[in-house]
Amino acid sequence: MEEKKIKRRTLLAGAAAAASLAFMKIASGQLVPVQTADPTKTLGPPPGEIGTRSPFEKPLKITSDTSSRTPLQDLFGTITPSDLHFERHHGGVPAIDPHRYELLIHGMVDKPMIFTLADLKRFPSVSRIAFLECSGNFRSGKEKMTPQEICGLTSQSEWTGVMLSTLFREVGIHPKATWFLAEGSDAAVMTRSIPVKKGWDDAMIAYGQNGEALRPQQGYPARLFLPGWEGNTNVKWLRRIELSDQPFMTREETSKYTEEIKDGKIRQFSFDMDARSIITFPAYPVQLEKGWVEIRGIAWSGRGKITTVEISTDAGKNWYPAKLQEPVLDKAHVAFRYLWQWDGSETAIMSRAVDETGYSQPTLKQLVTARGNDMGGYHLNPVTAWIIKRDGQVLFKPEKWK
């Protein structure tokens, strides 16, 4: 490769031009960047009431009528900015006055109670970092797809709230109660049946996200949060919990959120999200150059910690361990890295996650073998491959299974 020489004067001039920006207020009151000769000679805008991103950084969610997807390829670290957390709604986002908010817990309990938001905040609080993922988080079909389009219905936050077990002790759960109904305040009145055991284990009534109150799109002012379980069970805008000795068999868990498996059978109440990973760099639409490349991505499991992420740079012939970024948390996204030297030849790169139960992320072919061709669209977590073309194009490798 021909070595390009850059004169020091040229380098300094370029850097100054890139940095020479100031801001002016336009008619709408918004501050917009304007180029100046030298930023060291012009005062910048004063401190504001709320922070903003650089005007040069514009990560956006991809929206549809019912969901919006997190731009996984544009993020650093493992925490998703609250405004970029994916959304999936069944009846839109309700507007709820926190001063009028109430959570009723009743059914097979000793003492039915209503909790206000202030009541919830008086109990001992907890914070934990964990991912949240929609059970329908898989798209395929064309080469020009980004990680966001393929599996952008997963995000991660630090959630703060009160443990549901604390409220269970407050109302006194009947010993024969094995299920509870979680009901939301949205226009769909979203409902799911949840085993009581999950409520005792690690369920949370969350009212905080990444250091601030929940965003309305995430269930403001309070939602159910079930670490590692499919997103729809994490009922937003939670208004009612009813204890019972059997599941409620609601609309959402009979008409949706079931998976077809072999021999005409249907799998129901498959709550845990299985181990998965995806390479977020290099990925479409990156244009790769020959030489050293840090392959980066995220991995997660709803059944515990990720123990290993393996990388293949030769279309699955050989696999090598990637480096995991500490801390590796339970039921959380973990970042992985693998240093690779690309020689310019066409190949395929892919990642494969293993969790602490020993479960290894399957290929799509293995999923089809286990569940059959009519396995529906839920709980699909196949190994994802990216094709590296000789000219440096990086393309998704879609696979057909029907």
Side-chain angles (χ1 to χ4, degrees):
M1 182 177 70
E2 182 180 348
E3 184 178 352
K4 296 180 180 178
K5 295 182 179 179
I6 302 175
K7 293 181 180 179
R8 183 172 181 272
R9 180 180 299 176
T10 303
L11 184 65
L12 291 175
S20 298
L21 290 168
F23 295 80
M24 70 175 185
K25 186 178 289 186
I26 59 178
S28 65
Q30 183 183 8
L31 291 174
V32 297
V34 293
Q35 195 103 22
T36 63
D38 183 350
T40 65
K41 307 299 182 186
T42 306
L43 289 175
E49 293 181 335
I50 190 166
T52 60
R53 291 190 177 90
S54 162
F56 301 104
E57 301 291 334
K58 297 180 179 178
L60 295 173
K61 292 192 280 190
I62 296 175
T63 63
S64 70
D65 290 341
T66 59
S67 67
S68 59
R69 296 168 170 267
T70 295
L72 300 174
Q73 66 281 352
D74 297 331
L75 304 183
F76 303 100
T78 59
I79 297 295
T80 306
S82 295
D83 60 352
L84 295 178
H85 195 290
F86 84 86
E87 300 175 43
R88 172 71 174 95
H89 312 311
H90 295 75
V93 181
I96 300 176
D97 182 346
H99 300 100
R100 299 174 63 186
Y101 173 80
E102 292 182 338
L103 170 62
L104 166 66
I105 302 182
H106 67 131
M108 296 178 68
V109 300
D110 296 333
K111 188 173 57 176
M113 295 182 69
I114 292 176
F115 300 92
T116 66
L117 185 61
D119 292 334
L120 296 179
K121 291 181 177 178
R122 276 203 294 271
F123 287 108
S125 63
V126 296
S127 293
R128 71 170 295 175
I129 294 172
F131 76 90
L132 184 61
E133 182 181 16
C134 174
S135 60
N137 189 24
F138 178 64
R139 292 289 182 275
S140 182
K142 59 182 181 180
E143 293 181 322
K144 294 184 177 180
M145 294 182 72
T146 63
Q148 179 176 22
E149 294 171 294
I150 298 165
C151 65
L153 296 179
T154 185
S155 304
Q156 175 150 286
S157 296
E158 182 191 60
W159 306 94
T160 298
V162 56
M163 299 302 292
L164 183 55
S165 57
T166 301
L167 304 185
F168 276 0
R169 283 189 285 272
E170 199 71 11
V171 299
I173 302 296
H174 193 287
K176 292 186 177 179
T178 52
W179 291 80
F180 71 86
L181 181 77
E183 182 181 273
S185 302
D186 57 333
V189 192
M190 179 68 183
T191 48
R192 283 305 310 263
S193 299
I194 311 295
V196 166
K197 184 178 184 304
K198 183 67 172 176
W200 286 114
D201 285 349
D202 59 2
M204 178 190 295
I205 307 298
Y207 47 75
Q209 179 185 12
N210 296 336
E212 63 177 358
L214 286 180
R215 298 289 177 107
Q217 298 81 4
Q218 298 304 322
Y220 180 84
R223 71 177 300 165
L224 182 63
F225 183 66
L226 306 175
W229 282 24
E230 58 184 23
N232 65 84
T233 63
N234 294 251
V235 175
K236 294 185 281 193
W237 315 289
L238 185 68
R239 69 174 184 178
R240 187 169 74 91
I241 289 177
E242 180 179 355
L243 279 296
S244 176
D245 57 1
Q246 56 188 317
F248 291 78
M249 308 304 284
T250 69
R251 176 191 61 201
E252 302 296 344
E253 56 204 30
T254 53
S255 66
K256 300 183 180 68
Y257 305 123
T258 57
E259 301 97 55
E260 293 183 47
I261 54 177
K262 278 186 172 179
D263 305 322
K265 295 181 179 178
I266 300 294
R267 188 172 70 169
Q268 193 176 30
F269 300 128
S270 49
F271 298 120
D272 296 282
M273 298 306 295
D274 292 317
R276 189 173 184 179
S277 67
I278 185 165
I279 292 171
T280 55
F281 182 88
Y284 177 78
V286 166
Q287 187 71 32
L288 204 60
E289 294 184 3
K290 283 194 292 187
W292 290 104
V293 179
E294 185 180 68
I295 296 174
R296 299 188 292 268
I298 53 172
W300 62 97
S301 171
R303 301 181 190 276
K305 294 180 180 178
I306 290 293
T307 56
T308 309
V309 176
E310 297 174 310
I311 301 293
S312 175
T313 57
D314 54 9
K317 295 175 184 174
N318 297 283
W319 293 87
Y320 304 98
K323 183 177 181 180
L324 302 185
Q325 174 67 57
E326 294 289 346
V328 178
L329 301 174
D330 180 60
K331 300 168 185 170
H333 286 174
V334 57
F336 64 82
R337 300 183 177 90
Y338 181 79
L339 198 57
W340 172 53
Q341 189 169 30
W342 182 48
D343 62 6
S345 58
E346 182 166 326
T347 187
I349 61 172
M350 52 187 74
S351 61
R352 181 171 64 189
V354 180
D355 69 19
E356 60 185 347
T357 71
Y359 176 91
S360 180
Q361 183 181 0
T363 61
L364 187 59
K365 184 178 180 181
Q366 288 172 321
L367 281 174
V368 172
T369 300
R371 301 185 200 169
N373 288 318
D374 296 326
M375 58 184 171
Y378 297 123
H379 291 268
L380 300 182
N381 60 328
V383 169
T384 301
W386 299 98
I387 303 297
I388 312 293
K389 296 288 190 180
R390 289 182 183 277
D391 63 1
Q393 276 193 92
V394 183
L395 300 170
F396 172 54
K397 182 183 178 182
E399 298 175 85
K400 293 183 178 179
W401 74 90
K402 292 183 178 179

